[in-house]
Amino acid sequence: NAGVTQTPKFQVLKTGQSMTLQCAQDMNHEYMSWYRQDPGMGLRLIHYSVGAGITDQGEVPNGYNVSRSTTEDFPLRLLSAAPSQTSVYFCASSYSSWETQYFGPGTRLLVL
Amino acid sequence: GIQVEQSPPDLILQEGANSTLRCNFSDSVNNLQWFHQNPWGQLINLFYIPSGTKQNGRLSATTVATERYSLLYISSSQTTDSGVYFCAVVFDRGSTLGRLYFGRGTQLTVWP
């Protein structure tokens, strides 16, 4: 049971490049979500999904896309990277939003 | 508006001391979690506690939902307790259902 896994661990992008951050879980959780963490702040919700085929926006969705084609995977796409998207990105999963959420190890992204 | 406030923002202790961290939230909740973010950035679940009291070793937590606050107690602190402690909630109302809101955290430093 690997829990929540994220790849890559680190990434450097140039402004304007696109990329996909991968997130997978093997706990059969319906609820998955993406957060970003900036220095001195708590985590902020980007997008979330309550099940395959269903996604919704969080607090800071601009510049990011998501899709949920399977229960296990929830990739986050940066369409055209900007320096303001330099952050640490965390993926989380749970059976539902009102139950314990489990976090992946994070992806550190630097946009130059 | 929606608020999750943690206090104190910083706490410095000597090994063996006890401490209390506080989380105030602005509305009724159906999920409240305490996390520890260690110096390597990993988010570790401490408690799922939307109401009541729980204990796990030297740590315990109490949530008084009717008064909209939660407390995390750390007894006999150790250097390995250092890091940032986050409170996160899911508010129990329609427009914010499914969204986990984080406080800004308490930075704890424990000296030997």
Side-chain angles (χ1 to χ4, degrees):
Chain A
N1 191 338
V4 181
T5 58
Q6 292 183 236
T7 56
K9 286 188 171 61
F10 305 97
Q11 184 70 49
V12 179
L13 291 178
K14 294 181 180 177
T15 296
Q17 287 185 314
S18 62
M19 79 160 293
T20 299
L21 279 63
Q22 301 292 344
C23 174
Q25 52 89 13
D26 60 359
M27 297 176 280
N28 202 31
H29 286 165
E30 291 292 333
Y31 183 88
M32 296 185 73
S33 50
W34 276 102
Y35 298 83
R36 60 177 289 172
Q37 184 179 26
D38 300 305
M41 298 187 70
L43 281 69
R44 291 182 293 168
L45 182 65
I46 304 172
H47 285 286
Y48 64 100
S49 168
V50 298
I54 307 169
T55 63
D56 203 350
Q57 297 181 350
E59 297 176 77
V60 288
N62 292 342
Y64 308 95
N65 266 3
V66 292
S67 60
R68 184 97 178 269
S69 56
T70 67
T71 299
E72 294 78 19
D73 301 296
F74 191 42
L76 178 72
R77 297 182 188 84
L78 279 69
L79 308 173
S80 177
S84 61
Q85 293 179 304
T86 293
S87 191
V88 181
Y89 292 85
F90 288 95
C91 177
S93 76
S94 60
Y95 286 110
S96 67
S97 67
W98 56 88
E99 297 184 65
T100 303
Q101 297 202 24
Y102 297 92
F103 282 78
T107 293
R108 292 182 181 274
L109 177 67
L110 174 62
V111 182
L112 301 174
Chain B
I2 294 169
Q3 288 185 338
V4 183
E5 296 180 337
Q6 292 187 243
S7 59
D10 298 280
L11 191 56
I12 300 173
L13 301 173
Q14 194 149 23
E15 217 170 15
N18 302 329
S19 61
T20 301
L21 284 59
R22 187 177 180 102
C23 173
N24 292 333
F25 41 94
S26 56
D27 208 335
S28 60
V29 299
N30 58 30
N31 179 350
L32 188 147
Q33 291 184 246
W34 283 98
F35 295 90
H36 175 216
Q37 187 168 40
N38 64 23
W40 295 270
Q42 185 182 9
L43 277 164
I44 300 162
N45 283 295
L46 296 177
F47 294 103
Y48 167 82
I49 188 166
S51 64
T53 298
K54 290 186 177 179
Q55 180 154 9
N56 185 2
R58 295 181 296 104
L59 273 60
S60 63
T62 295
T63 298
V64 184
T66 53
E67 297 187 24
R68 299 182 184 168
Y69 72 88
S70 183
L71 302 174
L72 178 68
Y73 305 97
I74 304 174
S75 64
S76 303
S77 57
Q78 301 176 356
T79 55
T80 52
D81 294 331
S82 296
V84 183
Y85 289 80
F86 288 107
C87 167
V89 306
V90 175
F91 289 101
D92 188 15
R93 53 177 163 136
S95 63
T96 61
L97 278 177
R99 302 182 181 189
L100 190 65
Y101 289 91
F102 279 75
R104 289 184 173 239
T106 292
Q107 173 77 56
L108 175 65
T109 303
V110 181
W111 294 97

